């Protein structure tokens, strides 16, 4: 199989799992990594056997690199994506696609101008857990989907992340940090969104870092940290979602539930690739766990890159695509806009529900 030569920009916390996983996919050949801190790039290259560590400018100028994985902080996503596209390279970026809708549209327009592809995390919906749930819905196991609910409740990333300040800046907060996982999963399960209503708040104006190496540092909060909303899907399904950095986690609430005319489906944490998946039919008294027939149930970040690389090399569609990523970006802003205006937010974009992954494509 022909391999696509990959370069990673951004060698921070999330880069390790991408560098670990890239060699596992036959379509990918990781040949270089770069960071504003070249020493950090060199450290990661040595740790994971990446042939070349260099500056961002050097990586973008390298004609051998065909696709860039953008693992920079959210504020830099748009500028790095556009630089890579202008350099003639396909791009796959960590979530979110961009901070603003304007930046997101600029990325899509630049890609179209240069006839290049853009993909975006999360790709967890391609894993065994959510693909099994999608298959159950497609097979009619819960009848006609009627409603959905999603919950992401935690106390905030200052408790564990080594450098958490950007989570409380514009483009951060629980909706922009974790919302992509939940909204992408919901769109993969139920299709595109038509209308949104939301309420948001900043519960604490200042946070104190409790993790090393910046323990004791104060963070000024400039983005909502507790968001609740209602989602009207184009299919007629009505969903609700709450994302919070302000409450203690470990609640009994499921990550995602899908309610159908013939049963209820418990969908696993969309920040993971695995299970469990559980279903309760109309005449049953309890939920039963469903085996996962699909592969990729571990931390397989990079699966979306591999699916995109296959499309570049062989033609065809890829699932973690720019239209889906932009639709999710717009929806996240929709919750904030609705809260600020006191009105429903009507979505301007749409997307196709990503094609489910066949067993033949799975490991």
């Amino acid at each position: 199989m022909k391999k696509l030569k990959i370069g990673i920009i951004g060698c921070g916390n999330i880069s390790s799992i991408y560098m670990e996983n890239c060699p596992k996919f036959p379509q990918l050949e990781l040949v270089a990594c770069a960071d504003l801190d070249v020493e950090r790039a060199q450290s990661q290259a040595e740790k994971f056997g990446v042939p070349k560590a260099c500056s961002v400018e050097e990586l973008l100028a390298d004609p051998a690199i065909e696709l860039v994985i953008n693992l920079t902080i959210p504020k830099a996503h748009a500028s790095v994506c556009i630089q890579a596209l202008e350099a003639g390279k396909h791009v796959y970026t960590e979530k979110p696609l961009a901070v603003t809708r304007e930046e997101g549209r600029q990325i899509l327009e630049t890609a179209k101008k240069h006839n290049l592809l853009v993909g975006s995390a999360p790709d967890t919906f391609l894993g065994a857990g959510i693909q099994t749930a999608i298959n159950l819905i497609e097979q009619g196991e819960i009848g006609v989907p009627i409603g959905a609910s999603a919950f992401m409740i935690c106390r905030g990333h200052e408790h564990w992340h080594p450098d958490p300040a950007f989570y409380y800046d514009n483009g951060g907060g629980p909706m922009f940090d974790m919302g992509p996982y939940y909204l992408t999963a919901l769109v993969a399960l139920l299709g595109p969104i038509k209308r949104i209503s939301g309420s948001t708040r900043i519960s604490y104006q200042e946070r104190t870092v409790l993790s090393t190496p910046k323990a004791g540092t104060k963070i000024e909060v400039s983005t909502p940290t507790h968001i609740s909303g209602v989602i009207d899907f184009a299919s007629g399904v009505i969903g609700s979602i709450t994302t919070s950095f302000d409450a203690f986690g470990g609640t009994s609430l499921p990550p995602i539930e899908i309610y159908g005319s013939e049963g209820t489906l418990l969908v696993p944490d969309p920040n993971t690739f695995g299970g469990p998946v559980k279903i309760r039919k109309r005449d049953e008294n309890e939920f039963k766990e469903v085996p996962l027939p699909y592969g990729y149930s571990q931390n397989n970040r990079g699966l979306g890159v591999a699916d995109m690389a296959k499309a570049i090399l062989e033609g065809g569609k890829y699932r973690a695509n720019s239209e889906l990523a932009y639709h999710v970006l717009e929806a996240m802003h929709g919750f904030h806009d609705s809260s600020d205006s006191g009105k429903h937010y009507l979505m301007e974009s749409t997307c196709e529900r990503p094609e489910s992954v066949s067993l033949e494509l799975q490991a």
Side-chain angles (χ1 to χ4, degrees):
M1 178 181 288
K2 186 179 185 301
K3 293 178 179 287
L4 204 69
K5 294 189 184 298
I6 307 293
I8 287 178
I9 296 178
C11 295
N13 205 45
I14 193 68
S15 67
S16 292
I17 191 63
Y18 279 90
M19 292 183 183
E20 179 183 329
N21 285 346
C22 274
K24 299 177 183 178
F25 297 108
Q27 305 95 328
L28 308 181
E29 182 182 358
L30 179 58
V31 298
C33 63
D35 195 278
L36 291 176
D37 181 350
V38 178
E39 287 186 3
R40 181 159 61 177
Q42 290 169 341
S43 175
Q44 286 293 80
E46 290 173 9
K47 183 176 180 181
F48 292 99
V50 181
K52 177 181 176 182
C54 59
S55 69
V56 173
E57 293 75 18
E58 286 178 277
L59 189 146
L60 292 174
D62 187 339
I65 294 171
E66 299 166 277
L67 184 148
V68 167
I69 300 177
N70 180 4
L71 304 181
T72 58
I73 62 173
K75 275 188 172 182
H77 283 184
S79 63
V80 172
C81 284
I82 290 168
Q83 288 177 61
L85 291 166
E86 295 285 5
K89 304 178 191 310
H90 304 283
V91 178
Y92 182 93
T93 185
E94 250 303 322
K95 50 77 187 170
L97 175 66
V99 171
T100 69
R101 284 161 287 195
E102 293 75 18
E103 289 176 339
R105 288 193 294 268
Q106 189 177 0
I107 292 170
L108 270 60
E109 290 164 4
T110 305
K112 184 178 180 180
K113 173 185 172 184
H114 293 284
N115 196 29
L116 294 165
L117 299 185
V118 172
S120 178
D123 55 2
T124 45
F125 73 95
L126 300 176
I130 292 173
Q131 286 299 312
T132 297
I134 289 170
N135 180 259
L136 291 170
I137 293 173
E138 290 179 342
Q139 296 302 315
E141 292 295 327
I142 62 167
V144 178
I146 296 166
S149 61
F151 300 95
M152 195 298 297
I153 311 294
C154 76
R155 194 65 183 91
H157 291 358
E158 71 273 21
H159 288 73
W160 64 271
H161 196 280
D163 191 13
F166 71 91
Y167 288 108
Y168 298 99
D169 200 352
N170 292 327
M175 181 55 71
F176 281 86
D177 175 43
M178 298 302 293
Y181 295 108
Y182 287 78
L183 293 172
T184 301
L186 287 168
V187 172
L189 289 157
L190 300 169
I193 298 165
K194 180 177 69 176
R195 186 177 74 169
I196 282 170
S197 62
S199 295
T200 71
R201 64 175 285 169
I202 296 175
S203 301
Y204 309 100
Q205 296 293 332
E206 186 179 81
R207 317 286 285 227
T208 302
V209 179
L210 301 176
S211 56
T212 56
K214 296 191 175 182
T217 304
K218 303 294 183 182
I219 300 172
E220 184 178 342
V221 179
S222 55
T223 192
T225 51
H226 188 96
I227 299 100
S228 290
V230 174
I231 307 166
D232 293 310
F233 292 88
S235 64
V237 175
I238 299 173
S240 62
I241 185 170
T242 295
T243 66
S244 181
F245 283 169
D246 298 343
F248 292 100
T251 70
S252 59
L253 295 169
I256 297 176
E257 288 188 338
I258 309 294
Y259 313 113
S261 59
E262 302 299 322
T264 294
L265 185 62
L266 303 187
V267 181
D269 183 348
N271 191 18
T272 67
F273 287 80
V277 176
K278 297 181 180 181
I279 190 170
R280 179 181 174 182
K281 299 290 192 69
R282 174 191 286 273
D283 298 321
E284 296 175 344
N285 294 323
E286 58 185 27
F287 283 93
K288 296 178 181 177
E289 188 165 343
V290 179
L292 306 181
Y294 297 87
Y296 299 118
S297 60
Q298 304 304 311
N299 188 349
N300 297 111
R301 279 171 171 78
L303 180 56
V305 184
D307 187 49
M308 180 177 170
K310 188 173 186 295
I312 293 168
L313 295 168
E314 301 175 11
K317 295 181 179 180
Y318 61 110
R319 295 165 180 84
N321 57 60
S322 56
E323 289 77 18
L324 172 60
Y326 181 80
H327 190 63
V328 168
L329 174 65
E330 185 190 0
M332 293 190 296
H333 278 285
F335 293 105
H336 291 75
D337 286 359
S338 173
S339 181
D340 293 344
S341 68
K343 300 176 182 178
H344 283 105
Y345 177 84
L346 301 179
M347 294 286 288
E348 296 180 358
S349 70
T350 188
C351 66
E352 293 183 8
R353 185 173 73 82
E355 184 178 305
S356 57
V357 176
S358 68
L359 289 172
E360 289 76 23
L361 292 177
Q362 290 279 2

